Amino acid sequence: MTNDDGAGTGRTAPRKRADALRNERTLLDAAAAVFVTSGVEAPVRDIAARAGVGVATIYRHFPTRADLIIGVFRHQVEACAEAGPALLETSATPHAALRGWIDLFVDFLVTKHGLASVLQSDDAGFETLHAYFIDRLVPVCARLLDAATEAGEVRSGLTAYELMRGVGNLCIGAEHDPDYDARRLAGLLVAGLRQP
């Protein structure tokens, strides 16, 4: 006999149904949008209203605020990671794909609103998120950078981590200054990578 998570039988937990995954994505998208405008301490009722569900639905999927924040962070990292290969397939050049992905990365960094400070808290649930972020996104950036380098579009010698770190530094404080355009500056950085 097994409980809902398959414990005790060696079987894995059942996969979520497609509609349950879709509903969870809708909640995470709504939470991310509310976090952008109101920060991570926004009332859950605001997130529920944006998602078109009841507050109880949010708590059924994410029992604590920490669970919701972690869910949003992972959801956004996954969206950014999945965009890399898609951009490489659909963009005119690898450099254009890299530029498009860096724009998405900047948007992710600038719109975290409060996630950075929460992620630096002592909450055990947040400890592994930075490593997850690095492990998931650095290979995607490396693939884009390598493709642009192999195509002769950008200079060699720069690592994906260095590029991401540089872009991250350009994004510091951007959410608090409406006159500062981190995306434009990151675009200049990526343009500066081009082969002379």
Side-chain angles (χ1 to χ4, degrees):
M1 181 167 248
T2 181
N3 60 23
D4 289 341
D5 65 0
T9 64
R11 288 185 290 181
T12 59
R15 290 183 157 265
K16 288 186 179 183
R17 294 186 336 241
D19 59 335
L21 287 172
R22 194 170 39 255
N23 292 342
E24 189 173 291
R25 279 194 300 272
T26 299
L27 295 178
L28 292 169
D29 287 338
V34 170
F35 288 173
V36 166
T37 57
S38 305
V40 295
E41 295 302 322
V44 172
R45 68 180 173 276
D46 292 355
I47 297 167
R50 178 148 188 137
V53 300
V55 171
T57 301
I58 302 275
Y59 284 118
R60 189 167 50 253
H61 287 274
F62 305 101
T64 68
R65 183 170 296 274
D67 293 331
L68 181 60
I69 291 168
I70 289 168
V72 167
F73 186 86
R74 286 181 173 272
H75 178 63
Q76 291 183 320
V77 167
E78 286 305 312
C80 198
E82 290 168 6
L87 284 167
L88 205 50
E89 285 182 24
T90 60
S91 298
T93 66
H95 184 267
L98 178 64
R99 169 66 196 265
W101 189 82
I102 291 295
D103 284 347
L104 293 173
F105 183 60
V106 168
D107 292 346
F108 168 73
L109 294 175
V110 171
T111 59
K112 284 191 306 178
H113 283 288
L115 280 175
S117 58
V118 171
L119 294 174
Q120 293 171 4
S121 76
D122 292 334
D123 190 312
F126 300 124
E127 288 177 5
T128 60
L129 284 184
H130 182 71
Y132 168 75
F133 170 84
I134 296 295
D135 291 347
R136 190 68 177 102
L137 294 184
V138 168
V140 174
C141 185
R143 182 174 171 198
L144 291 161
L145 190 58
D146 289 347
T149 302
E150 289 168 13
E153 295 181 303
V154 301
R155 308 164 199 258
S156 61
L158 180 69
T159 69
Y161 180 79
E162 289 171 319
L163 177 58
M164 290 174 63
R165 184 76 187 253
V167 169
N169 287 340
L170 290 174
C171 293
I172 294 172
E175 72 272 13
H176 302 299
D177 186 351
D179 296 325
Y180 181 72
D181 188 349
R183 190 187 251 214
R184 186 176 78 80
L185 289 174
L188 291 172
L189 173 64
V190 174
L193 297 176
R194 299 221 49 154
Q195 283 283 21

